Amino acid sequence: MKKVTKAVIPVAGMGTRFLPITKSVAKEMLPIVDKPTLSYIIDEAVASGITDILLITSPYKKIIEDYFDVNYELEKRMEERGKIEELEILGNIKGNVNIYFIRQGEPLGSGHAIRLAKTFVGNDPFAVLYGDDIMKSDVPALKQLIDTYEKNNANIIGCMEVDKNLVSRYGIVSFADESTNKIKTIVEKPKQEEAPSNIAGLGRYIVKPEIFDILEKISKGACGEYQFTDAMKELMKEQDFYACIMDATYYDTGSKLGYLKATLDYALERDDLKEPLKEYLKERIEK
Ligand code: UTP
């Protein structure tokens, strides 16, 4: 079985749920404390054994390419001023991984974006991580998917249980066999009374390369966009899919509330911020 070492992260979406800031700042670059959201996702991929990452970016998101590039002028100035700690922070941004970029000319949906990874992926199984979904966990969420992939040698969808009232926001999985988590199909944003379960697919996938033949053929789906879920649904007719129930806390940082929750939770884990922030929160709540 081929090892999963490549990951695709689509980051070219319009971020309409986070306007107006997303008019000029990519939502994937909004800071969670002092690192961009995207950085947390890349760290998770690297900690899961990924060595090569393709970022599908957009003409309006040059800020992402710049962030992972070397800023010689800034580094030189830090060096001249003896700012060793700051230099180290700058040197660690990219970490030990190869990062490549390709641009999606128009935001025509996740399926359209991922299709652009065909040459990068070649004949290998690969991971997809959505650029605005942070998973906080002890064992990296993608590592949990890779373990499930190695057990089943099949396509994997990272899933979590969601509130029954909220199923209409997600792709909801229906099981062929609940004892093994084998998936029958996935229903995009079902009404609560029509949902086959309350297990949702949440921004982490391992897919075999045959998905590209389908991505080239699918029509526009929900929201008038080419949906990655629709391509997976087609592939389910030919290949096995399993759910990996992720042991993680999920933050949808593409939504304002999800972003605030992530910021607070990560700040509350930081030695330099934990105590003063707790005190401030106590003060605010008691007011
Ligand atoms: P989302 O549906 O969360 O992103 O896609 P969006 O379209 O920006 O969201 P709205 O406008 O707030 O509803 C999941 C991931 O896929 C990327 C997004 O950047 C996000 O990381 N994406 C989405 C693309 O790369 N291209 C697209 O055309 C759409």
Side-chain angles (χ1 to χ4, degrees):
M1 191 194 316
K2 283 190 180 169
K3 268 184 115 49
V4 181
T5 59
K6 293 179 186 174
V8 175
I9 310 184
V11 291
M14 287 187 285
T16 48
R17 285 170 299 152
F18 224 124
L19 281 166
I21 185 65
T22 41
K23 177 171 178 277
S24 62
V25 179
K27 63 177 168 177
E28 297 83 1
M29 290 303 289
L30 292 176
I32 306 293
V33 187
D34 52 11
K35 280 199 316 185
T37 295
L38 180 57
S39 221
Y40 289 83
I41 293 164
I42 291 181
D43 288 350
E44 178 198 324
V46 174
S48 305
I50 296 297
T51 57
D52 293 86
I53 294 176
L54 179 68
L55 295 177
I56 319 267
T57 172
S58 98
Y60 304 102
K61 295 194 178 184
K62 292 196 181 74
I63 184 176
I64 296 179
E65 275 123 312
D66 288 348
Y67 183 75
F68 292 101
D69 208 349
V70 180
N71 183 333
Y72 289 109
E73 201 183 315
L74 185 61
E75 290 197 3
K76 201 169 138 253
R77 279 177 203 274
M78 294 292 145
E79 219 174 298
E80 280 166 6
R81 290 173 195 191
K83 299 219 176 243
I84 307 299
E85 220 175 284
E86 288 79 356
L87 262 176
E88 211 171 295
I89 293 174
L90 290 177
N92 286 338
I93 284 181
K94 206 164 143 272
N96 203 12
V97 65
N98 300 311
I99 300 182
Y100 309 89
F101 302 92
I102 194 166
R103 283 193 182 162
Q104 184 187 18
E106 260 187 288
L108 296 178
S110 52
H112 180 263
I114 294 163
R115 198 171 105 183
L116 301 170
K118 186 177 178 176
T119 310
F120 167 78
V121 165
N123 285 322
D124 299 320
F126 66 105
V128 174
L129 301 95
Y130 281 173
D132 55 354
D133 288 333
I134 290 187
M135 301 290 171
K136 189 155 151 302
S137 55
D138 293 335
V139 177
L142 184 63
K143 175 75 173 58
Q144 298 176 36
L145 266 79
I146 291 177
D147 291 344
T148 313
Y149 165 79
E150 288 177 350
K151 188 172 145 214
N152 296 291
N153 188 13
N155 301 277
I156 308 294
I157 300 183
C159 294
M160 284 173 92
E161 204 173 295
V162 293
D163 199 296
K164 284 196 172 71
N165 304 320
L166 302 179
V167 286
S168 61
R169 292 190 191 172
Y170 303 99
I172 299 294
V173 153
S174 103
F175 288 105
D177 178 357
E178 280 191 40
S179 67
T180 60
N181 284 341
K182 189 163 185 238
I183 293 173
K184 188 164 139 202
T185 191
I186 183 162
V187 190
E188 195 58 41
K189 301 185 171 64
K191 287 188 190 143
Q192 193 179 339
E193 57 280 13
E194 284 163 15
S197 73
N198 62 335
I199 306 293
L202 294 177
R204 296 291 182 274
Y205 311 90
I206 292 177
V207 213
K208 299 202 173 184
E210 289 77 19
I211 193 88
F212 289 104
D213 298 334
I214 298 171
L215 282 169
E216 274 163 18
K217 282 184 232 145
I218 53 165
S219 331
K220 285 183 179 168
C223 311
E225 295 183 347
Y226 296 97
Q227 299 290 353
F228 185 53
T229 307
D230 290 344
M232 287 194 292
K233 214 169 149 174
E234 266 315 293
L235 190 58
M236 279 170 198
K237 294 178 185 161
E238 296 159 24
Q239 292 187 5
D240 289 345
F241 274 71
Y242 285 82
C244 166
I245 311 294
M246 297 179 286
D247 183 7
T249 308
Y250 162 65
Y251 302 96
D252 174 9
T253 67
S255 80
K256 291 170 190 172
L257 185 60
Y259 172 77
L260 290 170
K261 285 181 181 172
T263 305
L264 205 56
D265 282 1
Y266 277 96
L268 285 170
E269 284 193 356
R270 287 265 299 248
D271 289 341
D272 54 340
L273 296 170
K274 185 163 60 184
E275 291 310 325
L277 181 59
K278 267 191 194 165
E279 244 168 70
Y280 177 70
L281 286 173
K282 238 167 87 187
E283 257 173 56
R284 290 290 304 158
I285 289 163
E286 280 165 9
K287 251 189 196 171

